[in-house]
Amino acid sequence: KKKLQLGGIGSMLDVGGGSGAFSYVFVGATPGLKSTVLELPEVCRTGETIRAQQSEDVRDRVSFVELDATSPDWPVKEDQFDIVLMS
């Protein structure tokens, strides 16, 4: 079993992150880490509902951004993030 150490990482882009499950775990285990989940609009709405059930600290550090699957342009700049998770 390998553990990924995210020390020194301040921001994560979680592409296709669904409800945010990975983001909640990583943010909860890594002080100061903020995660942006990039997903389809319907999935973001579900994720926001689940996000509301997280601790306040985690809620404050996980956000959702809607992706238009018909557009080749992402609504975020990938260079704003220290690490990108494709899930």
Side-chain angles (χ1 to χ4, degrees), residues 5-45:
Q5 299 296 323
L6 296 178
I9 302 295
S11 59
M12 179 174 80
L13 179 61
D14 187 353
V15 180
S19 64
F22 286 131
S23 286
Y24 303 136
V25 171
F26 289 139
V27 165
T30 310
L33 177 65
K34 293 183 179 182
S35 182
T36 300
V37 179
L38 185 61
E39 253 302 352
L40 298 173
E42 313 81 49
V43 180
C44 284
R45 286 190 283 280

Side-chain angles (χ1 to χ4, degrees), residues 18-21 24 37 43-64:
S19 64
Y24 303 136
V37 179
V43 180
C44 284
R45 286 190 283 280
T46 300
E48 289 287 359
T49 301
I50 295 169
R51 181 178 159 264
Q53 300 168 13
Q54 305 302 310
S55 69
E56 182 178 0
D57 179 54
V58 170
R59 277 195 315 263
D60 290 345
R61 295 189 290 134
V62 174
S63 60
F64 287 83

